Amino acid sequence: IVLVLLGLCLMGGYAYKIYIYDPQNVASEEQLKAYDRLIAYADEFDMMSDSEKLELLDMQNDYDGLLDKQKDAINDYFKDKDHVGKTYTRLIKELKQLKSDLEDESNEGYQALKAYLEGWESYTDAQKMEVVNYKTTYSELNSVLQKKIDDLSRSYCTKSYTSLYSEYFEKLKQQNEAQIASLEGELESEKTDLQELQTYADSLQADLKYAQDNGQDTSEIQVQIQTNNDVISQTQQRINSIQSQIDALKAQIQQ
């Protein structure tokens, strides 16, 4: 009996040492303070601005220095929907991304679109129509910067950039379609003139051949041919110019 009791005492002493006094299982004063700082952060999370939330990144050493059981407790505390709603480790990843996104405000596209929106109230109708030209710039921004642009757009233009773009794209589409219809009318007229000029050119060539075959003076016919060729060239240039305008207007309203 004495031997059994002695053995139990020895085992109990060993377990007491391991689970209570083991340095790996006992939090230091510094660890307790770090733990309390993280708990306080979680308690205030919902009331923080983005910049305040980013302060958690400066507390990485606090978390890293905790005991494993403290880290588990912190993650559980953060995950509680009444505090943060996600674990500490997941929040850290998101905050690192947020910090990266915020640093991206130096992005040239973001700065250009921001500057454009800030001048909205002073723009003419034609200048406001230029908002559609920034669609690609907006699309290439990350989601954080897009949200910032939408917020700026609501501030200066009373609606998000996407809504503003849709409104002015429709106006541009109607305007361009009217211009295209007018230009296509001009194009058909120029093509008709060109066809008549080419027919006349064929007639002049026939007159030239007749005069040459009959030994007549061809100088006047040759002048007429040259003049007609010049008019044909000018007409062709106008046709090319009108077609280019039509193509540009069509491209502008293709999403």
Side-chain angles (χ1 to χ4, degrees), residues 50 94 97-105 110 138 141-151:
D50 283 348
E94 293 182 2
Q97 182 61 52
L98 175 61
K99 182 180 180 182
S100 175
D101 292 339
L102 292 174
E103 290 172 349
D104 282 347
E105 285 191 11
Y110 172 81
Y138 176 85
L141 298 177
N142 60 49
S143 59
V144 172
L145 293 184
Q146 284 183 349
K147 183 179 183 304
K148 283 183 172 290
I149 287 297
D150 282 334
D151 290 342

Side-chain angles (χ1 to χ4, degrees), residues 66-84:
L66 296 179
L67 298 174
D68 288 343
K69 65 179 183 180
Q70 288 179 301
K71 291 180 179 179
D72 291 340
I74 286 294
N75 277 294
D76 289 340
Y77 195 83
F78 271 61
K79 190 175 181 180
D80 190 304
K81 64 181 180 180
D82 293 329
H83 299 121
V84 180

Side-chain angles (χ1 to χ4, degrees), residues 8 56 59 106 159 222 228 253:
L8 290 174
L56 185 63
M59 301 165 68
S106 59
K159 58 188 67 179
Q222 288 177 341
N228 191 61
I253 57 176

Side-chain angles (χ1 to χ4, degrees), residues 179-193 234-250:
Q179 286 183 276
I180 288 170
S182 175
L183 287 169
E184 286 179 338
E186 291 182 33
L187 185 63
E188 288 305 312
S189 176
E190 292 289 349
K191 286 181 176 180
T192 298
D193 289 347
Q234 293 167 6
T235 303
Q236 187 63 61
Q237 289 177 8
R238 286 196 297 273
I239 288 173
N240 293 340
S241 175
I242 293 171
Q243 186 62 60
S244 294
Q245 292 177 62
I246 291 173
D247 292 342
L249 289 169
K250 286 183 176 179

Side-chain angles (χ1 to χ4, degrees), residues 129 132-133 167-179 249 252-253:
M129 196 71 75
V132 301
N133 298 332
E167 175 186 338
Y168 278 87
F169 179 79
E170 284 303 315
K171 289 182 179 181
L172 179 66
K173 186 176 180 181
Q174 293 173 9
Q175 175 182 296
N176 283 14
E177 286 174 345
Q179 286 183 276
L249 289 169
Q252 201 173 36
I253 57 176

